[in-house]
């Protein structure tokens, strides 16, 4: 059946640039999604973008493009075939609730972290080298620190002034 489907689609006059096959399809009721391994056949084409794959999956599973997530794509040696994973959520709210945080950050759904790890370490080292009021200046120069609320941060800086 698999090879016959490919041959039938290729013999059409208006053939698409690539073909998507879902295997190991599983309905995950706890996370409100369908999980699958996606095989993409793309003859005469170097690669297929994730956006195009999400669009194709949305058409196949009758949902919005925003409900589909494609990741882990690896092109086979020699080209023409790519394998990866796909998640199709029941609606967009479930995707925002259950999808991994790094993927949501990449899509711009969740805010990015504040200061980088390197910047936080640099400020910490600078604070160790100075004493008294200079410590508070170093902390203020670094900007808001981590996830502390403003009131708690103010108490911390007052504590530093007392030392």
């Amino acid at each position: 059946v698999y090879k016959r489907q490919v041959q039938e689609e290729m013999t059409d006059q208006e053939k698409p640039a690539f073909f998507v096959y879902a295997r190991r399809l599983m309905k995950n009721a706890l996370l409100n999604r369908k999980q699958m391994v996606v095989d993409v056949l793309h003859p005469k084409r170097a690669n297929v973008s994730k956006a195009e794959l999400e669009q194709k999956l949305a058409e196949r599973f009758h949902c919005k493009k925003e409900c589909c997530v494609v990741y882990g794509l690896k092109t086979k040696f020699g080209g023409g075939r790519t394998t990866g994973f796909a998640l199709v959520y029941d609606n967009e709210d479930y995707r925002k609730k259950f999808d991994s945080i790094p993927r949501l950050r990449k899509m711009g759904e969740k805010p990015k972290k504040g200061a980088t790890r390197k910047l936080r370490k640099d400020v910490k080292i600078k604070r160790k080298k100075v004493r008294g009021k200079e410590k508070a200046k170093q902390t203020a120069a670094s900007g808001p620190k981590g996830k502390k609320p403003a009131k708690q941060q103010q108490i911390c800086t007052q504590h530093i002034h007392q030392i």
Side-chain angles (χ1 to χ4, degrees):
V1 176
Y2 183 76
K3 290 179 182 177
R4 190 177 297 152
Q5 284 177 339
V6 174
Q7 288 172 351
E8 287 173 10
E9 287 182 4
M10 287 190 173
T11 55
D12 294 343
Q13 295 297 325
E14 261 186 51
K15 59 182 175 182
F18 62 94
F19 313 101
V20 180
Y21 295 98
R23 61 186 169 92
R24 296 180 61 187
L25 182 68
M26 179 182 130
K27 173 75 175 146
N28 190 336
L30 293 174
L31 298 176
N32 299 303
R33 69 185 184 194
K34 295 178 192 86
Q35 303 169 177
M36 65 203 83
V37 175
V38 175
D39 289 327
V40 185
L41 298 176
H42 45 92
K44 300 178 184 175
R45 192 167 170 178
N47 234 333
V48 182
S49 71
K50 287 183 182 181
E52 287 177 309
L53 284 174
E54 287 170 356
Q55 183 65 41
K56 197 86 150 179
L57 285 170
E59 290 171 14
R60 174 152 312 160
F61 290 100
H62 310 290
C63 64
K64 293 181 186 175
K65 183 184 172 188
E66 290 78 28
C67 297
C68 301
V69 179
V70 178
Y71 64 97
L73 295 173
K74 296 201 174 166
T75 306
K76 301 290 182 195
F77 181 73
R81 183 176 172 168
T82 303
T83 305
F85 300 99
L87 307 172
V88 180
Y89 287 91
D90 293 347
N91 61 42
E92 207 172 332
D93 294 332
Y94 288 130
R95 184 181 58 83
K96 288 178 184 176
K97 185 176 179 182
F98 295 122
D99 206 6
S100 72
I101 292 170
R103 268 199 300 265
L104 290 173
R105 278 199 185 113
K106 195 173 185 181
M107 289 185 248
E109 305 272 330
K110 279 214 184 246
K112 295 193 175 185
K113 291 180 181 176
T116 60
R117 187 165 186 251
K118 175 80 174 159
L119 187 65
R120 287 192 311 257
K121 284 187 169 197
D122 287 345
V123 170
K124 179 181 161 190
I125 291 167
K126 285 178 186 175
R127 286 184 67 227
K128 282 182 181 177
K129 293 179 182 177
V130 294
R131 293 189 57 159
K133 292 181 181 178
E134 292 295 318
K135 267 191 192 203
K137 287 181 184 174
Q138 289 291 336
T139 307
S142 70
K145 191 176 178 185
K147 297 179 182 176
K148 288 183 182 177
K151 193 172 187 181
Q152 192 175 357
Q153 187 176 0
Q154 189 177 19
I155 293 167
C156 289
T157 52
Q158 286 173 357
H159 181 68
I160 291 169
H161 286 298
Q162 290 172 358
I163 296 173

